[in-house]
């Protein structure tokens, strides 16, 4: 039974990786938020399964906290932001989508090779998912640096935290609850601050293109 559940965690990790690729290839902000919500739901399910297999009851609380923040609260706040800013159009990218996908494949290969020696030393149930988690983090970072708009960059930052959380859950059975609560609070506050930041950019430049910030430096 535990072997099947471990394979199921690996499957959920593969789904997280596929969603990370989909987020990099997505041009519409609304769909990008939906993909982020799906990634959060997949992360919740993976946390519950790992908690069941390892009998780590604190992971159930982590899953509940992740569900509230990543599936309900943060997507709701992001939808409110894009409704207020009226930015449902396609997302501009600094690099075209095919090139981004090719870079993403290289990133995944690099992540698996980098994580392989560490995973071999780990005794965790799903230690093989460490490469997936690292790839998700780097793909999220790739999304942040290839987008010109502020909203996709915020979503990339949040998706990067998803990858880190998945690594902590699958490879080390989670962090101490105090640390997890602190990170959850920091993420929520960060989203609120970034929301205010996006409104300020829009008010100042009538656009969410972060390249406009270079004008402030020139002035």
């Amino acid at each position: 039974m535990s072997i099947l559940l471990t394979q199921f965690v690996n499957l959920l990790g593969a789904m997280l990786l596929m969603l990370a690729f989909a987020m990099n290839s997505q041009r519409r902000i609304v769909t990008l938020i939906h993909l982020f919500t799906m990634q959060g739901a997949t992360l919740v399910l993976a946390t519950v399964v790992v908690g069941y297999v390892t009998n780590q009851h604190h992971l159930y609380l982590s899953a509940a906290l992740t569900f509230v923040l990543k599936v309900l609260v943060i997507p709701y706040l992001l939808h409110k932001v894009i409704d207020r800013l009226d930015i449902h159009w396609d997302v501009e990218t600094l690099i075209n989508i095919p090139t981004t996908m090719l870079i993403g494949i290289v990133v995944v290969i690099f992540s698996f090779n980098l994580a392989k020696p560490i995973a071999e030393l780990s005794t965790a149930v799903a230690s093989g998912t460490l490469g997936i988690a690292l790839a998700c983090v780097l793909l999220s970072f790739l999304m942040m640096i290839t987008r010109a708009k502020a909203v996709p960059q915020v979503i990339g930052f949040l998706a990067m935290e998803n990858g880190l959380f998945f690594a902590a859950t699958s490879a080390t059975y989670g962090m101490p609850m105090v640390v997890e609560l602190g990170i959850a609070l920091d993420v929520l506050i960060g989203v609120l601050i970034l929301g205010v930041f996006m409104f300020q950019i829009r008010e100042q430049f009538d656009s969410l293109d972060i390249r406009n910030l270079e004008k402030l430096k020139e002035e």
Side-chain angles (χ1 to χ4, degrees), residues 26-76:
Q26 185 53 238
R27 291 179 177 273
R28 292 192 59 81
I29 297 179
V30 175
T31 307
L32 195 59
I33 297 175
H34 292 329
L35 290 171
F36 170 75
T37 306
M38 292 173 60
Q39 195 178 56
T42 305
L43 185 61
V44 169
L45 186 56
T47 304
V48 170
V49 174
V50 173
Y52 177 79
V53 173
T54 61
N55 201 28
Q56 300 285 333
H57 298 294
H58 71 278
L59 290 179
Y60 296 134
L61 182 56
S62 299
L65 186 63
T66 302
F67 178 78
V68 171
L69 284 179
K70 302 292 183 66
V71 181
L72 299 178
V73 177
I74 292 178
Y76 172 78

Side-chain angles (χ1 to χ4, degrees), residues 16-213:
L16 285 174
L17 187 59
M18 291 175 60
L19 288 169
F21 265 106
M23 292 169 72
N24 270 280
S25 64
Q26 185 53 238
R27 291 179 177 273
R28 292 192 59 81
I29 297 179
V30 175
T31 307
L32 195 59
I33 297 175
H34 292 329
L35 290 171
F36 170 75
T37 306
M38 292 173 60
Q39 195 178 56
T42 305
L43 185 61
V44 169
L45 186 56
T47 304
V48 170
V49 174
V50 173
Y52 177 79
V53 173
T54 61
N55 201 28
Q56 300 285 333
H57 298 294
H58 71 278
L59 290 179
Y60 296 134
L61 182 56
S62 299
L65 186 63
T66 302
F67 178 78
V68 171
L69 284 179
K70 302 292 183 66
V71 181
L72 299 178
V73 177
I74 292 178
Y76 172 78
L77 292 176
L78 290 173
H79 279 294
K80 294 291 288 185
V81 167
I82 65 173
D83 287 339
R84 288 283 302 276
L85 295 174
D86 191 23
I87 48 171
H88 300 277
W89 54 77
D90 291 346
V91 179
E92 296 180 9
T93 58
L94 300 179
I95 304 177
N96 61 60
I97 297 300
T99 303
T100 302
M101 292 296 97
L102 290 175
I103 296 174
I105 293 172
V106 174
V107 165
V108 171
I109 296 173
F110 169 78
S111 300
F112 276 87
N113 287 328
L114 182 63
K116 184 178 180 180
I118 303 174
E120 290 176 349
L121 297 175
S122 177
T123 58
V125 172
S127 58
T129 58
L130 187 59
I132 295 177
L134 180 59
C136 289
V137 171
L138 294 181
L139 286 174
S140 300
F141 182 70
L142 177 64
M143 185 173 73
M144 290 180 65
I145 64 178
T146 57
R147 304 288 177 147
K149 303 295 183 181
V151 176
Q153 292 196 344
V154 171
I155 297 175
F157 166 75
L158 295 172
M160 184 184 298
E161 199 274 332
N162 282 346
L164 293 173
F165 187 85
F166 182 64
T169 300
S170 60
T172 65
Y173 306 150
M175 298 170 285
M177 185 53 60
V178 174
V179 177
E180 292 184 8
L181 290 173
I183 292 175
L185 181 61
D186 289 343
V187 169
L188 183 58
I189 293 176
V191 171
L192 295 175
I193 293 175
L194 290 170
V196 174
F197 177 66
M198 286 185 285
F199 279 110
Q200 291 295 327
I201 296 178
R202 179 63 178 268
E203 182 179 353
Q204 184 72 27
F205 300 108
D206 196 30
S207 170
L208 286 177
D209 193 328
I210 61 172
R211 288 171 293 186
N212 289 321
L213 294 178

